[in-house]
């Protein structure tokens, strides 16, 4: 039976990836960072009904000794580094923390694997935010990076460290340059989930307005459930490599809101309020990924449309909000 070690296991991607790996017969071990919210930390695993099947292990991305201990104890066949300070807006308020967790944290995991169990296959969660001020209208694996936030800069460090460990030490280390991917498990602070949660609350009479920043920004949105499948496929290849994972369709935040509001019979323009303080210090205006390489080499492509995903998220938030009202 294969063993997988997943950092960020309690996040959206970690939960969906764990579900996929369990379905494929893996033993799944997850890195658990102890915090004051430990009583709700496995909420996403519970949502998927797998909280009892994932073995949570104490450790921290900033503590190399704990990572070495865990890799030695688990002896994983595959290591997925999904852990990060992943909220872009917060990275301007906490740039050093973001660099430590998102950037150096990845290097710590790579180093632990190299020292203890270098035959393990490694996946790094890279991000389309690394493209930032886009240098090409459609972004592929060869498009130059131009990060526009501390988060993106930290992700770029982690990305190039993964390439460096692959080339320097012969490790099977791959990066997935994932474009925006969402789901009912997305954190409430991210714009898609903020929108769908607000739509549910407005529909149920609990609020009237949806405050947003730049609603003309364009993003390439897919479903996290699709994207974790690409992660797994990367580690099944004979050779490690880097892949863009995207839908090749870009949509404005404005249109994403329209889809969500129309699903419950409301008009988005009646409720959206633009707030200057919600604009980013440096905006990423448009992202559009070319997943041709992932399709050709991995046999991967997105199967869930933006419309399907947003409707699923709205329905899930309606269930949550109704439960809270009771």
């Amino acid at each position: 039976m294969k063993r997988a070690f997943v950092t960020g296991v309690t996040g959206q991607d970690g939960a969906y990836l764990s579900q996929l790996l369990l379905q494929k017969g893996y033993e799944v071990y997850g890195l658990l960072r102890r915090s004051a919210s430990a009583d709700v930390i496995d909420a996403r695993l519970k949502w998927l009904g797998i909280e009892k099947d994932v073995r949570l292990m104490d450790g921290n991305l900033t503590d190399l000794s704990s990572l070495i201990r865990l890799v030695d104890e688990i002896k994983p066949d595959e290591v997925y580094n999904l852990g990060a300070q992943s909220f872009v807006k917060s990275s301007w308020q906490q740039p050093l923390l973001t660099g430590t967790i998102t950037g150096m944290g990845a290097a710590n995991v790579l180093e632990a694997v190299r020292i203890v169990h270098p035959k393990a296959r490694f996946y790094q969660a890279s991000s389309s935010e690394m493209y930032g001020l886009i240098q090409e209208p459609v972004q592929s694996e060869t498009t130059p990076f131009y990060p526009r936030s501390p988060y993106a800069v930290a992700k770029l460090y982690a990305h190039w460290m993964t390439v460096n460990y692959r080339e320097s030490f012969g490790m099977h280390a791959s990066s997935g340059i994932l474009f925006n991917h969402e789901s009912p498990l997305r954190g409430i602070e991210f714009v898609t989930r903020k929108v769908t949660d607000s739509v549910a609350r407005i529909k149920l009479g609990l609020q009237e307005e949806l405050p947003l920043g730049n609603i003309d920004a364009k993003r390439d949105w897919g479903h996290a459930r699709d994207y974790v499948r690409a992660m797994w496929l990367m580690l099944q290849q004979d050779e490690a490599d880097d892949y863009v994972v995207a839908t090749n369709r870009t949509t404005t935040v404005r249109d994403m809101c329209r889809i969500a509001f129309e699903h419950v019979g409301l008009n988005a323009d009646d409720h959206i309020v633009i707030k200057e303080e919600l604009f980013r210090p440096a905006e990423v205006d448009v992202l559009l990924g070319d997943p041709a390489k992932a399709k050709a080499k991995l046999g991967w492509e997105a199967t869930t449309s933006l419309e399907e995903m947003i409707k699923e998220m709205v329905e899930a938030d309606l269930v949550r909000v109704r439960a809270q009202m009771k």
Side-chain angles (χ1 to χ4, degrees):
M1 181 180 290
K2 282 189 173 182
R3 292 183 173 187
F5 178 38
V6 182
T7 74
V9 73
T10 58
Q12 168 191 254
D13 292 7
Y16 278 115
L17 177 63
S18 295
Q19 182 183 53
L20 175 70
L21 294 172
L22 288 166
Q23 290 169 350
K24 292 184 177 297
Y26 282 65
E27 288 182 4
V28 179
Y29 297 80
L31 182 68
L32 180 64
R33 173 180 57 86
R34 287 293 169 186
S35 70
S37 60
D39 57 329
V40 295
I41 204 164
D42 62 348
R44 293 180 177 90
L45 300 175
K46 287 180 178 176
W47 179 273
L48 296 177
I50 59 173
E51 76 278 6
K52 294 180 181 178
D53 301 314
V54 177
R55 307 181 191 190
L56 299 178
M57 316 288 283
D58 280 336
N60 197 294
L61 288 174
T62 65
D63 183 356
L64 178 59
S65 66
S66 72
L67 297 172
I68 288 174
R69 171 179 55 80
L70 289 174
V71 173
D72 183 52
E73 181 179 342
I74 298 166
K75 295 180 174 56
D77 299 282
E78 298 169 6
V79 177
Y80 296 86
N81 183 46
L82 313 183
Q85 190 300 99
S86 58
F87 189 40
V88 176
K89 182 181 177 182
S90 290
S91 73
W92 277 285
Q93 280 85 50
Q94 303 178 80
L96 302 184
L97 174 71
T98 302
T100 301
I101 300 294
T102 306
M104 287 301 298
N108 283 336
V109 180
L110 280 162
E111 186 68 352
V113 173
R114 183 190 71 82
I115 291 170
V116 180
H117 196 47
K119 295 300 182 183
R121 297 187 172 195
F122 176 87
Y123 170 83
Q124 167 59 24
S126 291
S127 169
S128 61
E129 288 286 330
M130 301 187 307
Y131 294 116
L133 188 63
I134 57 171
Q135 304 298 293
E136 295 175 350
V138 182
Q139 298 86 59
S140 72
E141 294 81 6
T142 59
T143 301
F145 298 115
Y146 195 131
R148 295 267 281 174
S149 66
Y151 166 77
V153 173
K155 277 291 188 182
L156 192 54
Y157 173 82
H159 176 81
W160 281 117
M161 284 297 280
T162 302
V163 174
N164 187 261
Y165 270 63
R166 179 170 73 224
E167 296 178 349
S168 299
F169 304 115
M171 290 172 58
H172 194 294
S174 295
S175 285
I177 307 172
L178 270 57
F179 281 63
N180 293 65
H181 48 290
E182 320 296 321
S183 77
L185 300 186
R186 191 53 139 159
I188 197 72
E189 68 273 20
F190 291 88
V191 68
T192 48
R193 181 73 198 293
K194 178 180 179 179
V195 168
T196 61
D197 178 71
S198 293
V199 166
R201 292 179 180 281
I202 291 169
K203 180 64 177 178
L204 296 174
L206 297 180
Q207 69 184 63
E208 295 183 358
E209 296 181 345
L210 167 57
L212 292 172
N214 178 16
I215 62 174
D216 293 315
K218 293 182 176 181
R219 292 293 183 270
D220 184 329
W221 276 301
H223 199 300
R225 192 169 47 227
D226 283 338
Y227 284 35
V228 299
R229 183 163 42 86
M231 300 175 188
W232 176 78
L233 285 167
M234 289 177 212
L235 298 200
Q236 311 316 305
Q237 306 306 304
D238 291 336
E239 300 292 333
D241 207 343
D242 306 320
Y243 297 88
V244 163
V245 180
T247 71
N248 198 223
R249 170 191 175 188
T250 190
T251 308
T252 62
V253 174
R254 185 191 304 271
D255 282 340
M256 182 269 291
C257 291
R258 177 185 53 77
I259 294 167
F261 276 100
E262 285 183 355
H263 181 61
V264 296
L266 297 175
N267 185 347
D269 293 335
D270 294 337
H271 301 282
I272 293 174
V273 178
I274 302 301
K275 301 281 190 179
E276 289 295 324
E277 63 268 24
L278 297 179
F279 280 69
R280 291 182 177 185
E283 185 57 86
V284 174
D285 294 315
V286 57
L287 292 171
L288 175 60
D290 177 7
K293 180 178 176 181
K295 183 175 182 179
K297 292 196 171 184
L298 305 178
W300 179 91
E301 58 185 331
T303 63
T304 308
S305 71
L306 173 63
E307 288 81 4
E308 291 168 337
M309 180 184 74
I310 293 300
K311 290 173 184 178
E312 179 187 346
M313 293 174 68
V314 171
E315 289 298 324
D317 278 322
L318 283 168
V319 170
R320 287 189 181 102
V321 176
R322 287 189 179 113
Q324 291 167 5
M325 292 172 69
K326 292 179 181 179

